[in-house]
Amino acid sequence: MARPVLLLLCAFVVLLASSTMASAAIVEHSFDVRNLTVTRLCQEQVITAVNGSLPGPTIHVQEGDTLVVHVYNKSPYNLTIHWHGIFQILSAWADGPDMVTQCPIKPGTKYTYKFKIIQQEGTLWWHAHTSWLRATVYGALIIRPRSGHSYPFPKPDKEVPIILGEWWNANVVDVENQALASGGGPNNSDAYTINGKPGDLYPCSQDQTYKLNVEEGKTYLLRIINAALNNQLFYKVANHKLTVVAVDAEYTNPYVTDVVVIAPGQTADVLLTADQPVGSYYMAAHPYASTQPAIPFANTTTRGIIVYDGATSSAPIMPVLPAFEDTPTAHKFYSSLTGLKDGPNWVPVPLYVDKHMFVTVGLGLDHCRINGTCQGFNGQRFSASMNNASFMFPTSLSMLQAFFFNVNGIYTADFPNKPPVKFDYTNANVNNATSLLFTPKSTSVTKLKFNATVEMVLQNTALIAIENHPMHLHGFNFHVLAQGFGNYDPKRDVKKYNLVNPQRRNTIAVPVGGWAVIRFQANNPGVWFMHCHLDVHMPWGLATAFVVENGPTPATRLPPPPHDLPQC
């Protein structure tokens, strides 16, 4: 009797394996990156774009698929592509950040990214990870459940990417270079966009307004992505409720709201039911400007139109957006989300912590060159740091190559676990404390044992300005255990930890003048970048990296680099 049972069991395993293999596919794309002349806001502008479109192509895959993307760089700039939010399990070579996991793809050359989508479903995106090119080099990456699996919510009638972006009437590489040369802040953008279109509130944009046609009674899954460079955004649809069902490709308990707050790098999947009287309704977005004291920002509004089938030509209804500085609304949204416990790909919170880190994030200064004129605070150059260490990219070899080939001199494994000086971090009276403002440059990282669990308190500071910082971790999703305002107090605030069903994501908007606690398990060998997703701050040094050591078996060790990996 035992033998027939064993044969039956083996047959079941083979059938299950073949079914799993049959549901996976190789999805292949080619990205032709080159200059493109487009007209926006009354003028022609040359941009860098993928396959002649803005945004670039939307990639559709299923969980378990292998994605292969051939990138042909026909632009005049060095380029890399980052697959924002993809875990890159044992495929760190494909992650994409310039000089972290690869050297750039030089003009006139190509590189092929290849990686498998493992235990992820939802909305992610891809973008350039070199200079400010991601202002125009970006697109959606949509991961659907594998065949035979379904969403943990009623299937929508239609799925629609909503990509929020920023637009400059200038060459964005020049905008960044001018700011870096002056030591000051960059020029603000001239418009915000929805799916590449600024909307009818801007000059010459009546015919450049995104339009979504809907049918009364049907439900639409809006896959919202904030691809803006430097601004968090409030997003609303007039007279309609939105139900958040996922963030950063992690399912959430359904959360009903009339406003979505979304930081650069973040995504939100929301259900919209066309349950209002037949007509036209604006969707609109404008910035959440958290910085105190306030600094100039692009205080304009982008909008698109939702049009019901059968609607007349009457003027669309406009939503009332929150005030630009409405921190209570932003915090309510961010802190109200919870993870869908036991939903697809749910990961329980690791309860034992191997490494505790307390990390300050904020602005600082770098000395102006001798006989130079700088436009930063107090006539110096703006800088930024984590634990007073201002990150500097290597130039001769990527950090991942240095890790794999054991090359010294590219980075140092001495990133501090706590700030060098303890002070009243969020007290605005310290914003001009010269002894705390100047941040030394280094390429310092944290080494982690394979499978180590890390808990990190991200603490904002009031140096120069108090600001909400969106912090993005490559290679992992983390649980957001708690967040709040003021200085983190371990005795008081640990009681606020949600260890049952916290939201899990790859980018956290650390509250303005406050803190957030995240926890993740370092179960993927490689070098993983962590940085502020405001592009004005990353070149100033608000970044660090984790070097995760190889695991004990061949199946937990980073494989060699691909043969066509770009060289510096």
Side-chain angles (χ1 to χ4, degrees):
M1 181 67 183
R3 182 174 175 82
V5 171
L6 181 61
L7 289 174
L8 185 62
L9 179 61
C10 290
F12 174 76
V13 171
V14 170
L15 181 63
L16 179 64
S18 62
S19 174
T20 301
M21 292 175 62
S23 67
I26 295 177
V27 179
E28 198 162 2
H29 286 262
S30 290
F31 279 10
D32 185 275
V33 188
R34 64 173 70 205
N35 284 352
L36 176 70
T37 301
V38 297
T39 301
R40 294 288 188 277
L41 278 58
C42 312
Q43 71 178 55
E44 287 189 343
Q45 180 63 48
V46 177
I47 65 170
T48 305
V50 175
N51 295 357
S53 66
L54 176 68
T58 296
I59 292 177
H60 296 272
V61 292
Q62 287 184 312
E63 193 276 324
D65 287 350
T66 296
L67 182 59
V68 179
V69 182
H70 310 284
V71 178
Y72 299 86
N73 185 8
K74 300 174 185 177
S75 82
Y77 307 109
N78 286 343
L79 175 79
T80 65
I81 301 292
H82 171 49
W83 314 94
H84 187 111
I86 294 292
F87 294 153
Q88 301 292 1
I89 302 295
L90 299 182
S91 57
W93 301 106
D95 191 44
D98 181 21
M99 301 311 299
V100 179
T101 61
Q102 68 170 98
C103 299
I105 308 168
K106 295 180 174 63
T109 65
K110 77 177 189 72
Y111 177 55
T112 296
Y113 292 93
K114 181 178 181 180
F115 51 90
K116 189 173 182 178
I117 312 297
I118 300 174
Q119 294 185 334
Q120 291 187 275
E121 298 174 11
T123 303
L124 295 174
W125 62 303
W126 57 265
H127 61 81
H129 213 293
T130 310
S131 68
W132 274 27
L133 290 178
R134 81 170 177 91
T136 54
V137 178
Y138 62 83
L141 201 172
I142 296 172
I143 309 169
R144 291 190 174 86
R146 67 172 64 223
S147 298
H149 295 241
S150 60
Y151 297 130
F153 49 82
K155 184 179 179 180
D157 295 289
K158 188 176 181 180
E159 303 180 15
V160 184
I162 301 290
I163 309 182
L164 309 175
E166 280 187 277
W167 175 264
W168 277 261
N169 279 334
N171 181 308
V172 291
V173 174
D174 292 343
V175 172
E176 181 190 21
N177 288 339
Q178 289 163 6
L180 292 175
S182 71
N187 293 335
N188 288 320
S189 58
D190 295 289
Y192 301 102
T193 58
I194 297 176
N195 289 344
K197 298 181 178 181
D200 56 9
L201 289 175
Y202 295 101
C204 308
S205 300
Q206 289 295 324
D207 61 346
Q208 294 185 351
T209 301
Y210 173 71
K211 183 180 290 186
L212 172 61
N213 293 309
V214 301
E215 187 176 335
E216 186 180 10
K218 291 194 172 181
T219 297
Y220 298 80
L221 177 60
L222 306 184
R223 296 180 176 273
I224 306 172
I225 299 166
N226 187 350
L229 263 67
N230 294 319
N231 285 279
Q232 301 189 58
L233 297 166
F234 291 115
Y235 173 89
K236 291 187 75 171
V237 177
N239 292 9
H240 288 72
K241 293 290 187 180
L242 303 170
T243 302
V244 181
V245 292
V247 293
D248 292 2
E250 290 279 0
Y251 292 117
T252 63
N253 286 304
Y255 176 66
V256 179
T257 178
D258 67 345
V259 60
V260 169
V261 193
I262 188 165
Q266 291 183 333
T267 71
D269 289 355
V270 303
L271 297 174
L272 177 145
T273 299
D275 56 5
Q276 295 301 299
V278 171
S280 298
Y281 301 84
Y282 278 116
M283 63 172 73
H286 78 194
Y288 162 45
S290 66
T291 308
Q292 298 295 327
I295 60 173
F297 63 96
N299 59 350
T300 62
T301 301
T302 180
R303 62 186 187 183
I305 305 174
I306 291 180
V307 182
Y308 280 64
D309 288 352
T312 64
S313 58
S314 58
I317 299 171
M318 179 68 182
V320 178
L321 288 162
F324 296 117
E325 68 282 358
D326 191 348
T327 289
T329 292
H331 184 67
K332 178 183 177 183
F333 178 85
Y334 284 137
S335 60
S336 295
L337 301 172
T338 53
L340 185 62
K341 184 180 178 182
D342 299 327
N345 303 319
W346 169 253
V347 176
V349 181
L351 298 181
Y352 179 81
V353 177
D354 298 288
K355 187 175 186 64
H356 289 269
M357 302 179 72
F358 183 93
V359 180
T360 55
V361 294
L363 300 182
L365 295 177
D366 192 12
H367 292 285
C368 193
R369 289 183 291 269
I370 297 176
N371 299 324
T373 301
C374 294
Q375 297 175 9
F377 187 70
N378 285 347
Q380 303 295 332
R381 303 177 62 82
F382 277 124
S383 183
S385 68
M386 300 175 68
N387 275 353
N388 204 48
S390 186
F391 186 83
M392 183 170 58
F393 288 95
T395 57
S396 60
L397 194 69
S398 78
M399 297 167 70
L400 187 58
Q401 288 171 295
F403 163 70
F404 186 85
F405 293 109
N406 198 26
V407 178
N408 294 323
I410 303 300
Y411 59 81
T412 57
D414 57 356
F415 182 81
N417 287 332
K418 60 183 180 180
V421 178
K422 185 176 181 179
F423 60 98
D424 191 358
Y425 305 111
T426 56
N427 186 339
N429 292 327
V430 306
N431 71 348
N432 198 17
T434 304
S435 62
L436 300 172
L437 284 175
F438 287 90
T439 55
K441 298 288 184 182
S442 63
T443 311
S444 58
V445 308
T446 300
K447 268 195 171 182
L448 298 174
K449 294 291 185 182
F450 181 78
N451 257 350
T453 295
V454 180
E455 181 176 300
M456 178 184 290
V457 177
L458 292 164
Q459 173 71 63
N460 262 324
T461 71
L463 297 174
I464 299 180
I466 307 173
E467 189 174 9
N468 184 305
H469 292 284
M471 301 300 298
H472 171 50
L473 176 61
H474 291 226
F476 306 97
N477 283 359
F478 47 76
H479 293 95
V480 182
L481 302 186
Q483 49 192 308
F485 296 101
N487 296 331
Y488 174 80
D489 182 332
K491 293 182 180 179
R492 175 195 66 207
D493 294 325
V494 72
K495 300 174 184 177
K496 302 174 184 176
Y497 284 15
N498 179 355
L499 299 175
V500 177
N501 65 342
Q503 59 181 291
R504 193 166 179 254
R505 58 191 321 159
N506 62 60
T507 304
I508 173 70
V510 182
V512 54
W515 51 269
V517 182
I518 66 173
R519 190 180 289 181
F520 68 96
Q521 189 170 15
N523 55 6
N524 191 13
V527 179
W528 305 106
F529 200 34
M530 185 177 194
H531 62 96
C532 182
H533 220 277
L534 300 177
D535 272 28
V536 65
H537 290 163
M538 190 169 66
W540 289 350
L542 214 171
T544 186
F546 293 97
V547 175
V548 179
E549 296 177 353
N550 282 308
T553 66
T556 57
R557 294 173 189 157
L558 182 69
H563 66 89
D564 62 341
L565 187 74
Q567 301 300 308
C568 292

